[in-house]
Amino acid sequence: MVDYDEVGPEKIIQVYDPKTKLRGVVVIDNTALGPGKGGCRMTPTVNEEEVKGLARAMTWKNAMADLPFGGAKSGIFANSKEITKEEKKSIVEAFGRALRGIAPAIYISAPDMYMGEEEMRQMAEAHGDHKCCTGKPLDMNGLPHELGSTGFGVAQSAFVAIEHLGLNCDQITFTVDGFGNVGTFAAKFLTERGAKFIAASDSKGVIYNPNGLDYDKLMCVKGEMGSVVKYDDGEVLPGEKIAEIKTDLFIPAAKPDIIHEANKDKVDAKIICCGANIPMSARIEEEMHEKGVLVVPDFVANAGGVISSYIESIDGKEEEVFPMIEDKVVKNTKLMLERAKEKGISARQAAIEIAKERISGSKN
Ligand code: NAD
């Protein structure tokens, strides 16, 4: 049974194609601000409940980023590791055709788990209107993932939070969980402002040096040797320890739930700026706030990706990406933190209030 509330979901569309065996679902949560925007994931476990939760997160994210997009998400039930490349392509094409009635009018897709730019090409070509999705390859006017839009936005959000606490960027330490696309770019921009990078993790473990890691050298080590733990000037720790290192700023940028029941009391950071989606539950985020930790929620800090998608959707250029992300993320992080301070509520609560006001047409 679907839980409907004052926001949505407006439409839940099941898609099925007997020929290719495509089975999928599109959830359009809310279109008050524009077509529902959100990626499509292909996993064997994706279900309507999961897609519904992700669609709602996109409603908050797009409203908070002040974009003319509503919130939506889609899922294709398939195990891309167990099907051939051709079978995957047929399924993605069938999904593209199934979107004809709704995209781009009320839904615009994008890559998510196991869906990349080639799948967006296949989806758009099968659909017939390239505006049905973003995240397409460069030759289809896509904006490359390698630009680091999301990590850049996470750093912008962190700068605002640092200032909000009366700290100086060149006097703080920071740690990063997940030295991938989001984590490396966030670390790059923080390092450039003088913050001391003391720990990073990837799937192999943590590298920690309280005197500072050399960002460029760490990038080379990760690129050439495959893992941050191969960096020779620091202590190697087990992966989960990243959340327990004493630091001014912690950036989760890998998997969900890096902060959980068993380690939440060991977290020793002044600010947590969420690059990853759902790095802790909303309840733990509230507990962190009560303990005095400033948590910038995922849907505010990691909006750089969807802002870049917006630019792609209006045929904008690469040069417009960073200025627009900086403008929107800085403005909205400030708005959220001022509201939170004024009302004595958590940053998440303040952000949801602002997003709801925008959706319902109230001014802020
Ligand atoms: P990525 O695959 O480029 O990088 C992920 C990194 O996490 C890799 O370095 C990997 O080694 C590391 N990792 C994997 N398992 C780990 C573990 N158990 N412990 C520590 N590190 C581990 O992914 P990404 O694009 O950087 O995305 C990271 C997170 O940010 C995800 O939660 C994603 O949903 C979220 N996000 C990404 C974007 C984007 O534009 N890329 C936008 C919004 C949110």
Side-chain angles (χ1 to χ4, degrees), residues 310-348:
Y310 168 65
I311 296 172
E312 180 177 331
S313 77
I314 56 166
D315 294 323
K317 298 276 162 279
E318 203 176 302
E319 311 78 79
E320 296 170 57
V321 173
F322 279 14
M324 189 183 288
I325 292 174
E326 183 171 354
D327 178 57
K328 285 186 176 291
V329 171
V330 166
K331 197 169 75 199
N332 290 307
T333 308
K334 275 188 183 156
L335 196 65
M336 168 190 75
L337 293 180
E338 281 158 14
R339 166 88 59 113
K341 195 173 171 186
E342 201 179 287
K343 297 183 98 174
I345 56 177
S346 67
R348 168 175 284 268

mmCIF file of all heavy atoms in Angstrom, residues 310-348:
data_model
loop_
_atom_site.group_PDB
_atom_site.id
_atom_site.type_symbol
_atom_site.label_atom_id
_atom_site.label_comp_id
_atom_site.label_asym_id
_atom_site.label_seq_id
_atom_site.Cartn_x
_atom_site.Cartn_y
_atom_site.Cartn_z
ATOM 1 N N TYR A 310 20.690 19.995 -15.031
ATOM 2 C CA TYR A 310 19.787 21.075 -15.467
ATOM 3 C C TYR A 310 20.433 21.839 -16.621
ATOM 4 O O TYR A 310 19.792 22.121 -17.640
ATOM 5 C CB TYR A 310 19.467 22.003 -14.288
ATOM 6 C CG TYR A 310 18.790 23.282 -14.735
ATOM 7 C CD1 TYR A 310 17.520 23.248 -15.317
ATOM 8 C CD2 TYR A 310 19.438 24.510 -14.629
ATOM 9 C CE1 TYR A 310 16.911 24.407 -15.766
ATOM 10 C CE2 TYR A 310 18.832 25.673 -15.071
ATOM 11 C CZ TYR A 310 17.575 25.613 -15.656
ATOM 12 O OH TYR A 310 16.978 26.750 -16.112
ATOM 13 N N ILE A 311 21.728 22.147 -16.476
ATOM 14 C CA ILE A 311 22.420 22.891 -17.540
ATOM 15 C C ILE A 311 22.416 22.073 -18.843
ATOM 16 O O ILE A 311 22.156 22.601 -19.916
ATOM 17 C CB ILE A 311 23.846 23.285 -17.074
ATOM 18 C CG1 ILE A 311 23.726 24.255 -15.884
ATOM 19 C CG2 ILE A 311 24.653 23.911 -18.218
ATOM 20 C CD1 ILE A 311 25.014 24.596 -15.194
ATOM 21 N N GLU A 312 22.641 20.759 -18.699
ATOM 22 C CA GLU A 312 22.574 19.904 -19.898
ATOM 23 C C GLU A 312 21.170 19.946 -20.511
ATOM 24 O O GLU A 312 21.016 20.017 -21.741
ATOM 25 C CB GLU A 312 22.950 18.453 -19.538
ATOM 26 C CG GLU A 312 22.908 17.517 -20.732
ATOM 27 C CD GLU A 312 23.341 16.090 -20.421
ATOM 28 O OE1 GLU A 312 24.168 15.898 -19.502
ATOM 29 O OE2 GLU A 312 22.852 15.169 -21.098
ATOM 30 N N SER A 313 20.138 19.944 -19.670
ATOM 31 C CA SER A 313 18.761 19.897 -20.189
ATOM 32 C C SER A 313 18.379 21.169 -20.947
ATOM 33 O O SER A 313 17.462 21.154 -21.754
ATOM 34 C CB SER A 313 17.765 19.627 -19.062
ATOM 35 O OG SER A 313 17.557 20.792 -18.302
ATOM 36 N N ILE A 314 19.074 22.270 -20.664
ATOM 37 C CA ILE A 314 18.766 23.507 -21.409
ATOM 38 C C ILE A 314 19.851 23.795 -22.463
ATOM 39 O O ILE A 314 20.005 24.927 -22.918
ATOM 40 C CB ILE A 314 18.573 24.726 -20.461
ATOM 41 C CG1 ILE A 314 19.799 24.936 -19.559
ATOM 42 C CG2 ILE A 314 17.309 24.593 -19.640
ATOM 43 C CD1 ILE A 314 19.844 26.289 -18.845
ATOM 44 N N ASP A 315 20.626 22.740 -22.797
ATOM 45 C CA ASP A 315 21.700 22.858 -23.798
ATOM 46 C C ASP A 315 22.744 23.895 -23.410
ATOM 47 O O ASP A 315 23.287 24.602 -24.272
ATOM 48 C CB ASP A 315 21.137 23.175 -25.195
ATOM 49 C CG ASP A 315 20.303 22.032 -25.728
ATOM 50 O OD1 ASP A 315 20.683 20.878 -25.463
ATOM 51 O OD2 ASP A 315 19.270 22.291 -26.377
ATOM 52 N N GLY A 316 22.994 24.003 -22.107
ATOM 53 C CA GLY A 316 24.020 24.937 -21.629
ATOM 54 C C GLY A 316 25.414 24.392 -21.869
ATOM 55 O O GLY A 316 25.595 23.265 -22.348
ATOM 56 N N LYS A 317 26.404 25.196 -21.531
ATOM 57 C CA LYS A 317 27.798 24.833 -21.819
ATOM 58 C C LYS A 317 28.551 24.496 -20.526
ATOM 59 O O LYS A 317 28.163 24.912 -19.441
ATOM 60 C CB LYS A 317 28.503 26.019 -22.504
ATOM 61 C CG LYS A 317 27.894 26.396 -23.843
ATOM 62 C CD LYS A 317 28.447 25.524 -24.975
ATOM 63 C CE LYS A 317 27.611 25.547 -26.223
ATOM 64 N NZ LYS A 317 26.422 24.679 -26.266
ATOM 65 N N GLU A 318 29.663 23.791 -20.720
ATOM 66 C CA GLU A 318 30.508 23.365 -19.611
ATOM 67 C C GLU A 318 30.920 24.545 -18.715
ATOM 68 O O GLU A 318 30.946 24.406 -17.500
ATOM 69 C CB GLU A 318 31.750 22.713 -20.228
ATOM 70 C CG GLU A 318 32.460 21.761 -19.321
ATOM 71 C CD GLU A 318 33.615 21.076 -20.033
ATOM 72 O OE1 GLU A 318 33.389 20.411 -21.057
ATOM 73 O OE2 GLU A 318 34.747 21.224 -19.548
ATOM 74 N N GLU A 319 31.208 25.707 -19.350
ATOM 75 C CA GLU A 319 31.675 26.872 -18.578
ATOM 76 C C GLU A 319 30.608 27.384 -17.607
ATOM 77 O O GLU A 319 30.919 28.126 -16.682
ATOM 78 C CB GLU A 319 32.050 28.062 -19.476
ATOM 79 C CG GLU A 319 32.954 27.782 -20.640
ATOM 80 C CD GLU A 319 32.237 27.143 -21.820
ATOM 81 O OE1 GLU A 319 31.562 27.847 -22.581
ATOM 82 O OE2 GLU A 319 32.380 25.905 -21.961
ATOM 83 N N GLU A 320 29.351 27.012 -17.827
ATOM 84 C CA GLU A 320 28.286 27.517 -16.950
ATOM 85 C C GLU A 320 28.135 26.673 -15.689
ATOM 86 O O GLU A 320 27.477 27.081 -14.731
ATOM 87 C CB GLU A 320 26.945 27.491 -17.695
ATOM 88 C CG GLU A 320 26.875 28.404 -18.896
ATOM 89 C CD GLU A 320 25.613 28.134 -19.710
ATOM 90 O OE1 GLU A 320 24.513 28.227 -19.154
ATOM 91 O OE2 GLU A 320 25.752 27.827 -20.908
ATOM 92 N N VAL A 321 28.733 25.466 -15.706
ATOM 93 C CA VAL A 321 28.453 24.508 -14.638
ATOM 94 C C VAL A 321 28.940 24.992 -13.256
ATOM 95 O O VAL A 321 28.137 25.132 -12.328
ATOM 96 C CB VAL A 321 29.066 23.123 -14.988
ATOM 97 C CG1 VAL A 321 28.927 22.162 -13.825
ATOM 98 C CG2 VAL A 321 28.380 22.545 -16.224
ATOM 99 N N PHE A 322 30.242 25.262 -13.117
ATOM 100 C CA PHE A 322 30.758 25.619 -11.788
ATOM 101 C C PHE A 322 30.155 26.927 -11.258
ATOM 102 O O PHE A 322 29.758 26.981 -10.090
ATOM 103 C CB PHE A 322 32.288 25.658 -11.786
ATOM 104 C CG PHE A 322 32.922 24.285 -11.650
ATOM 105 C CD1 PHE A 322 32.184 23.125 -11.825
ATOM 106 C CD2 PHE A 322 34.270 24.158 -11.343
ATOM 107 C CE1 PHE A 322 32.754 21.861 -11.703
ATOM 108 C CE2 PHE A 322 34.852 22.894 -11.213
ATOM 109 C CZ PHE A 322 34.100 21.754 -11.404
ATOM 110 N N PRO A 323 30.039 27.997 -12.092
ATOM 111 C CA PRO A 323 29.428 29.213 -11.543
ATOM 112 C C PRO A 323 28.005 28.992 -11.034
ATOM 113 O O PRO A 323 27.635 29.488 -9.976
ATOM 114 C CB PRO A 323 29.450 30.193 -12.725
ATOM 115 C CG PRO A 323 30.559 29.703 -13.590
ATOM 116 C CD PRO A 323 30.587 28.223 -13.438
ATOM 117 N N MET A 324 27.208 28.204 -11.780
ATOM 118 C CA MET A 324 25.830 28.003 -11.320
ATOM 119 C C MET A 324 25.790 27.155 -10.043
ATOM 120 O O MET A 324 25.013 27.428 -9.126
ATOM 121 C CB MET A 324 24.954 27.366 -12.407
ATOM 122 C CG MET A 324 23.498 27.378 -11.973
ATOM 123 S SD MET A 324 22.333 26.594 -13.098
ATOM 124 C CE MET A 324 22.252 27.724 -14.444
ATOM 125 N N ILE A 325 26.648 26.143 -9.977
ATOM 126 C CA ILE A 325 26.669 25.315 -8.764
ATOM 127 C C ILE A 325 27.086 26.175 -7.572
ATOM 128 O O ILE A 325 26.457 26.136 -6.504
ATOM 129 C CB ILE A 325 27.624 24.105 -8.928
ATOM 130 C CG1 ILE A 325 27.060 23.136 -9.966
ATOM 131 C CG2 ILE A 325 27.834 23.384 -7.587
ATOM 132 C CD1 ILE A 325 27.984 21.990 -10.321
ATOM 133 N N GLU A 326 28.121 26.954 -7.755
ATOM 134 C CA GLU A 326 28.596 27.795 -6.642
ATOM 135 C C GLU A 326 27.472 28.725 -6.182
ATOM 136 O O GLU A 326 27.163 28.816 -4.990
ATOM 137 C CB GLU A 326 29.829 28.602 -7.077
ATOM 138 C CG GLU A 326 30.384 29.431 -5.939
ATOM 139 C CD GLU A 326 31.720 30.079 -6.269
ATOM 140 O OE1 GLU A 326 32.279 29.802 -7.344
ATOM 141 O OE2 GLU A 326 32.188 30.872 -5.442
ATOM 142 N N ASP A 327 26.849 29.390 -7.138
ATOM 143 C CA ASP A 327 25.793 30.337 -6.808
ATOM 144 C C ASP A 327 24.662 29.659 -6.025
ATOM 145 O O ASP A 327 24.267 30.105 -4.954
ATOM 146 C CB ASP A 327 25.273 30.937 -8.128
ATOM 147 C CG ASP A 327 24.136 31.892 -7.895
ATOM 148 O OD1 ASP A 327 24.357 32.839 -7.135
ATOM 149 O OD2 ASP A 327 23.036 31.688 -8.443
ATOM 150 N N LYS A 328 24.154 28.550 -6.564
ATOM 151 C CA LYS A 328 22.993 27.909 -5.954
ATOM 152 C C LYS A 328 23.341 27.226 -4.627
ATOM 153 O O LYS A 328 22.618 27.371 -3.644
ATOM 154 C CB LYS A 328 22.384 26.889 -6.925
ATOM 155 C CG LYS A 328 21.606 27.555 -8.051
ATOM 156 C CD LYS A 328 20.915 26.518 -8.893
ATOM 157 C CE LYS A 328 20.046 27.142 -9.960
ATOM 158 N NZ LYS A 328 18.859 27.823 -9.425
ATOM 159 N N VAL A 329 24.435 26.473 -4.613
ATOM 160 C CA VAL A 329 24.758 25.714 -3.401
ATOM 161 C C VAL A 329 25.121 26.653 -2.252
ATOM 162 O O VAL A 329 24.686 26.461 -1.109
ATOM 163 C CB VAL A 329 25.873 24.672 -3.686
ATOM 164 C CG1 VAL A 329 26.373 24.041 -2.396
ATOM 165 C CG2 VAL A 329 25.357 23.586 -4.619
ATOM 166 N N VAL A 330 25.887 27.695 -2.539
ATOM 167 C CA VAL A 330 26.268 28.640 -1.476
ATOM 168 C C VAL A 330 25.017 29.344 -0.938
ATOM 169 O O VAL A 330 24.780 29.385 0.275
ATOM 170 C CB VAL A 330 27.312 29.662 -1.998
ATOM 171 C CG1 VAL A 330 27.475 30.838 -1.048
ATOM 172 C CG2 VAL A 330 28.653 28.968 -2.239
ATOM 173 N N LYS A 331 24.192 29.840 -1.850
ATOM 174 C CA LYS A 331 22.985 30.573 -1.440
ATOM 175 C C LYS A 331 22.058 29.684 -0.595
ATOM 176 O O LYS A 331 21.591 30.089 0.470
ATOM 177 C CB LYS A 331 22.253 31.055 -2.695
ATOM 178 C CG LYS A 331 21.248 32.145 -2.430
ATOM 179 C CD LYS A 331 20.744 32.773 -3.712
ATOM 180 C CE LYS A 331 19.777 31.833 -4.375
ATOM 181 N NZ LYS A 331 19.534 32.063 -5.774
ATOM 182 N N ASN A 332 21.835 28.476 -1.060
ATOM 183 C CA ASN A 332 20.877 27.615 -0.375
ATOM 184 C C ASN A 332 21.435 27.019 0.913
ATOM 185 O O ASN A 332 20.691 26.820 1.869
ATOM 186 C CB ASN A 332 20.362 26.542 -1.330
ATOM 187 C CG ASN A 332 19.462 27.161 -2.384
ATOM 188 O OD1 ASN A 332 18.514 27.875 -2.042
ATOM 189 N ND2 ASN A 332 19.781 26.955 -3.643
ATOM 190 N N THR A 333 22.735 26.761 0.966
ATOM 191 C CA THR A 333 23.310 26.276 2.229
ATOM 192 C C THR A 333 23.210 27.386 3.283
ATOM 193 O O THR A 333 22.866 27.134 4.439
ATOM 194 C CB THR A 333 24.782 25.823 2.039
ATOM 195 O OG1 THR A 333 24.851 24.905 0.964
ATOM 196 C CG2 THR A 333 25.335 25.163 3.288
ATOM 197 N N LYS A 334 23.490 28.620 2.873
ATOM 198 C CA LYS A 334 23.391 29.761 3.818
ATOM 199 C C LYS A 334 21.956 29.911 4.321
ATOM 200 O O LYS A 334 21.729 30.053 5.518
ATOM 201 C CB LYS A 334 23.799 31.066 3.109
ATOM 202 C CG LYS A 334 25.288 31.296 3.112
ATOM 203 C CD LYS A 334 25.603 32.692 2.579
ATOM 204 C CE LYS A 334 27.102 32.895 2.510
ATOM 205 N NZ LYS A 334 27.509 33.905 1.547
ATOM 206 N N LEU A 335 21.015 29.878 3.381
ATOM 207 C CA LEU A 335 19.600 30.022 3.729
ATOM 208 C C LEU A 335 19.198 28.967 4.762
ATOM 209 O O LEU A 335 18.547 29.261 5.767
ATOM 210 C CB LEU A 335 18.781 29.860 2.439
ATOM 211 C CG LEU A 335 17.346 30.306 2.428
ATOM 212 C CD1 LEU A 335 17.266 31.821 2.607
ATOM 213 C CD2 LEU A 335 16.703 29.923 1.085
ATOM 214 N N MET A 336 19.620 27.737 4.506
ATOM 215 C CA MET A 336 19.296 26.629 5.414
ATOM 216 C C MET A 336 19.912 26.843 6.794
ATOM 217 O O MET A 336 19.241 26.689 7.820
ATOM 218 C CB MET A 336 19.820 25.324 4.795
ATOM 219 C CG MET A 336 19.809 24.139 5.729
ATOM 220 S SD MET A 336 20.700 22.755 5.015
ATOM 221 C CE MET A 336 22.402 23.273 5.214
ATOM 222 N N LEU A 337 21.198 27.226 6.825
ATOM 223 C CA LEU A 337 21.880 27.364 8.120
ATOM 224 C C LEU A 337 21.326 28.545 8.917
ATOM 225 O O LEU A 337 21.200 28.463 10.143
ATOM 226 C CB LEU A 337 23.396 27.499 7.914
ATOM 227 C CG LEU A 337 24.078 26.242 7.360
ATOM 228 C CD1 LEU A 337 25.573 26.461 7.175
ATOM 229 C CD2 LEU A 337 23.840 25.032 8.265
ATOM 230 N N GLU A 338 20.964 29.626 8.214
ATOM 231 C CA GLU A 338 20.373 30.775 8.918
ATOM 232 C C GLU A 338 19.030 30.385 9.525
ATOM 233 O O GLU A 338 18.735 30.686 10.671
ATOM 234 C CB GLU A 338 20.207 31.964 7.963
ATOM 235 C CG GLU A 338 21.515 32.708 7.751
ATOM 236 C CD GLU A 338 21.534 33.521 6.463
ATOM 237 O OE1 GLU A 338 20.461 33.734 5.858
ATOM 238 O OE2 GLU A 338 22.641 33.932 6.055
ATOM 239 N N ARG A 339 18.220 29.663 8.729
ATOM 240 C CA ARG A 339 16.903 29.231 9.225
ATOM 241 C C ARG A 339 17.072 28.291 10.429
ATOM 242 O O ARG A 339 16.361 28.403 11.417
ATOM 243 C CB ARG A 339 16.148 28.521 8.091
ATOM 244 C CG ARG A 339 14.917 27.731 8.483
ATOM 245 C CD ARG A 339 13.669 28.564 8.489
ATOM 246 N NE ARG A 339 13.370 29.162 7.208
ATOM 247 C CZ ARG A 339 12.316 28.851 6.437
ATOM 248 N NH1 ARG A 339 11.465 27.940 6.846
ATOM 249 N NH2 ARG A 339 12.114 29.473 5.293
ATOM 250 N N ALA A 340 18.027 27.370 10.319
ATOM 251 C CA ALA A 340 18.248 26.400 11.400
ATOM 252 C C ALA A 340 18.653 27.122 12.689
ATOM 253 O O ALA A 340 18.149 26.820 13.773
ATOM 254 C CB ALA A 340 19.325 25.405 10.980
ATOM 255 N N LYS A 341 19.533 28.107 12.552
ATOM 256 C CA LYS A 341 20.019 28.841 13.724
ATOM 257 C C LYS A 341 18.878 29.642 14.364
ATOM 258 O O LYS A 341 18.658 29.593 15.576
ATOM 259 C CB LYS A 341 21.143 29.785 13.278
ATOM 260 C CG LYS A 341 21.958 30.337 14.424
ATOM 261 C CD LYS A 341 23.132 31.112 13.869
ATOM 262 C CE LYS A 341 23.841 31.873 14.971
ATOM 263 N NZ LYS A 341 24.888 32.730 14.427
ATOM 264 N N GLU A 342 18.159 30.332 13.496
ATOM 265 C CA GLU A 342 17.053 31.189 13.951
ATOM 266 C C GLU A 342 16.001 30.393 14.722
ATOM 267 O O GLU A 342 15.507 30.816 15.759
ATOM 268 C CB GLU A 342 16.422 31.740 12.677
ATOM 269 C CG GLU A 342 15.610 32.986 12.759
ATOM 270 C CD GLU A 342 15.140 33.275 11.326
ATOM 271 O OE1 GLU A 342 15.971 33.700 10.508
ATOM 272 O OE2 GLU A 342 13.951 33.016 11.017
ATOM 273 N N LYS A 343 15.690 29.178 14.227
ATOM 274 C CA LYS A 343 14.608 28.411 14.839
ATOM 275 C C LYS A 343 15.108 27.339 15.805
ATOM 276 O O LYS A 343 14.298 26.614 16.395
ATOM 277 C CB LYS A 343 13.773 27.755 13.736
ATOM 278 C CG LYS A 343 13.098 28.774 12.823
ATOM 279 C CD LYS A 343 12.241 28.113 11.793
ATOM 280 C CE LYS A 343 10.789 28.093 12.172
ATOM 281 N NZ LYS A 343 9.915 27.585 11.114
ATOM 282 N N GLY A 344 16.427 27.197 15.925
ATOM 283 C CA GLY A 344 16.982 26.171 16.811
ATOM 284 C C GLY A 344 16.643 24.759 16.353
ATOM 285 O O GLY A 344 16.419 23.859 17.167
ATOM 286 N N ILE A 345 16.593 24.562 15.031
ATOM 287 C CA ILE A 345 16.299 23.221 14.494
ATOM 288 C C ILE A 345 17.509 22.711 13.715
ATOM 289 O O ILE A 345 18.455 23.467 13.464
ATOM 290 C CB ILE A 345 15.032 23.239 13.584
ATOM 291 C CG1 ILE A 345 15.201 24.286 12.451
ATOM 292 C CG2 ILE A 345 13.783 23.511 14.394
ATOM 293 C CD1 ILE A 345 14.041 24.338 11.463
ATOM 294 N N SER A 346 17.463 21.457 13.322
ATOM 295 C CA SER A 346 18.605 20.908 12.576
ATOM 296 C C SER A 346 18.607 21.467 11.153
ATOM 297 O O SER A 346 17.580 21.932 10.643
ATOM 298 C CB SER A 346 18.511 19.383 12.524
ATOM 299 O OG SER A 346 17.405 19.011 11.739
ATOM 300 N N ALA A 347 19.765 21.369 10.523
ATOM 301 C CA ALA A 347 19.889 21.834 9.135
ATOM 302 C C ALA A 347 18.915 21.067 8.243
ATOM 303 O O ALA A 347 18.277 21.641 7.364
ATOM 304 C CB ALA A 347 21.323 21.657 8.662
ATOM 305 N N ARG A 348 18.762 19.767 8.470
ATOM 306 C CA ARG A 348 17.843 18.957 7.645
ATOM 307 C C ARG A 348 16.409 19.464 7.775
ATOM 308 O O ARG A 348 15.713 19.647 6.786
ATOM 309 C CB ARG A 348 17.919 17.473 8.038
ATOM 310 C CG ARG A 348 16.808 16.624 7.428
ATOM 311 C CD ARG A 348 16.984 15.159 7.747
ATOM 312 N NE ARG A 348 18.021 14.596 6.925
ATOM 313 C CZ ARG A 348 17.801 14.015 5.739
ATOM 314 N NH1 ARG A 348 16.577 13.916 5.258
ATOM 315 N NH2 ARG A 348 18.791 13.527 5.040
#
